[in-house]
Amino acid sequence: MAAVPPRPSASSSPESSASSSPESSAASSPRPAGDPAEVASVVQAALYRDGVRVSAPASLAETFRELREQPEGMAWIGLARPTESELLSLASEFDLHPLAVEDAMEAHQRPKLERYGDTLFVVLRAARYLDAPEQVDFGELHVFVGPDFVITVRHGAAPDLSAVRRRMEETPDLLKLGPEAVLYAILDAVVDGYAPVVAGVQNDIDEIETEVFGGDPAVSRRIYELSREMVEFQRATRPLVGMLHGLMAGFSKYGTDEELQRYLRDVADHVTHTSERVDAFRQALTEILTVNTTLVTQEQNAEMRALAEAGFEQNEEIKKISSWAAILFAPTLVGTIYGMNFAHMPELHWVFGYPFAILLMAVVCVTLYVVFKRRDWL
């Protein structure tokens, strides 16, 4: 972004040393192979003065003590899935509002921005694209911003706050602007993290379109799952637009630095663009699902038509077989009657008995043939 210099490489960052930032330490710690988001609760803290890190306390108590000893300093404390006691300790020291602390404990909050006196409470939904399962993974980040402190409470693997800390420490002129600068850098990181997700989802939609017209039977499930992810993505991005405009509306009231104003406007432009893309994705998926339903219906209709035609042909064959069976049954019946050889049968001693029987068979057969022919059975 225009207001923030390029991100430095990890090898050139001071955080790659043993005294690196807590976020960097947490990012490099071993994680279970099953889910990279499963990270133990770790307290992370550093103190800054004039945009330069002056210490990295090992505990919350030490952080509180050093911050009181340096009135012009700023504490940046990061927690990943903190315990209740850790949050209550922070709430007591920094006078955090109980409602905001309760939200941070429970997580699963919608993106929002609330002000409690001199403290801002911000909830953000970060996202990352997982290439292997082709899924979007969402994380949640709560940020407390006060006059001399920033507290981040992370639920999930995203965003990478160690990268945010490195950026800020590499630009002390920006970091010395205080907690607001850290908040805007975090917002920028969350919004920048949406770009790979947008690219991944676009690729998924392209693949889905190919599968739809290729007749893949599993594509309907994939469309539905991606649509659900886009609903979550909308819930993450839409509120951000209003939140950022709310922050911009308070520029003059809270005397926001002009550089931060430009920075925030740039972030707002990016999140607006992302929100519009997500809306377009959801609309496209709805249309693709409609097309897929139409194609499936057409395929089913074609199969039913083929079955109906096969049934019709079978009926025609059955009609022919039944007609010839009836025609052949008539002479068989006459022949069977005259072949019983009873002593008292009037026709047995009749001179014209045999010709009459033959003629009767012929007449019955011809009559049945004519009848079936007129009915198109033959």
Side-chain angles (χ1 to χ4, degrees), residues 53-68:
R53 182 195 292 195
V54 294
S55 67
S59 66
L60 284 178
E62 187 177 346
T63 303
F64 302 153
R65 179 182 58 79
E66 292 189 16
L67 182 60
R68 286 192 294 268

Side-chain angles (χ1 to χ4, degrees), residues 232-311:
E232 289 297 318
F233 208 179
Q234 280 185 322
R235 291 173 180 171
T237 57
R238 275 186 176 177
L240 271 180
V241 178
M243 289 167 55
L244 291 169
H245 283 289
L247 283 174
M248 289 189 292
F251 282 163
S252 57
K253 180 177 180 180
Y254 297 102
T256 304
D257 182 84
E258 185 176 348
E259 181 72 6
L260 292 182
Q261 293 184 28
R262 289 193 291 267
Y263 183 16
L264 182 61
R265 279 192 289 267
D266 187 56
V267 176
D269 290 341
H270 280 74
V271 77
T272 300
H273 175 70
T274 301
S275 180
E276 291 173 351
R277 291 291 302 277
V278 175
D279 292 343
F281 287 158
R282 189 175 180 188
Q283 180 64 31
L285 287 169
T286 301
E287 294 174 354
I288 291 173
L289 185 59
T290 301
V291 171
N292 182 64
T293 302
T294 302
L295 293 176
V296 171
T297 302
Q298 290 177 348
E299 184 177 353
Q300 291 176 343
N301 290 340
E303 292 176 354
M304 293 179 63
R305 190 181 305 111
L307 289 174
E309 291 175 355

Side-chain angles (χ1 to χ4, degrees), residues 24-198:
S24 180
S25 301
S28 61
S29 61
R31 294 178 179 175
D35 184 0
E38 294 297 329
V39 186
S41 175
V42 178
V43 177
Q44 308 157 347
L47 261 67
Y48 300 89
R49 186 172 60 243
D50 295 328
V52 179
R53 182 195 292 195
V54 294
S55 67
S59 66
L60 284 178
E62 187 177 346
T63 303
F64 302 153
R65 179 182 58 79
E66 292 189 16
L67 182 60
R68 286 192 294 268
E69 293 174 355
Q70 300 183 34
E72 297 181 357
M74 177 189 73
W76 184 350
I77 303 172
L79 300 100
R81 293 188 176 88
T83 63
E84 182 176 352
S85 60
E86 290 168 347
L87 281 177
L88 292 178
S89 176
L90 289 168
S92 175
E93 181 66 26
F94 294 107
D95 193 25
L96 305 180
H97 196 279
L99 292 178
V101 175
E102 181 181 355
D103 287 345
M105 287 181 182
E106 295 180 356
H108 304 293
Q109 303 293 320
R110 63 177 179 81
K112 61 182 178 180
L113 184 150
E114 296 176 342
R115 183 177 292 275
Y116 299 96
D118 293 334
T119 303
L120 276 177
F121 176 59
V122 181
V123 179
L124 303 172
R125 295 293 304 279
R128 59 176 183 157
Y129 187 81
L130 305 179
D131 291 321
E134 295 185 329
Q135 293 178 350
V136 181
D137 178 52
F138 294 94
E140 189 168 333
L141 178 66
H142 299 188
V143 186
F144 296 89
V145 182
D148 58 353
F149 66 87
V150 176
I151 302 171
T152 59
V153 180
R154 184 162 54 88
H155 298 273
D160 183 7
L161 294 182
S162 63
V164 178
R165 192 181 290 266
R166 285 196 299 270
R167 291 175 63 191
M168 297 302 288
E169 290 184 350
E170 286 293 318
T171 49
D173 289 341
L174 185 61
L175 184 55
K176 72 179 182 181
L177 295 178
E180 277 191 339
V182 177
L183 172 61
Y184 296 151
I186 292 173
L187 287 168
D188 178 51
V190 171
V191 174
D192 281 353
Y194 293 152
V197 179
V198 170

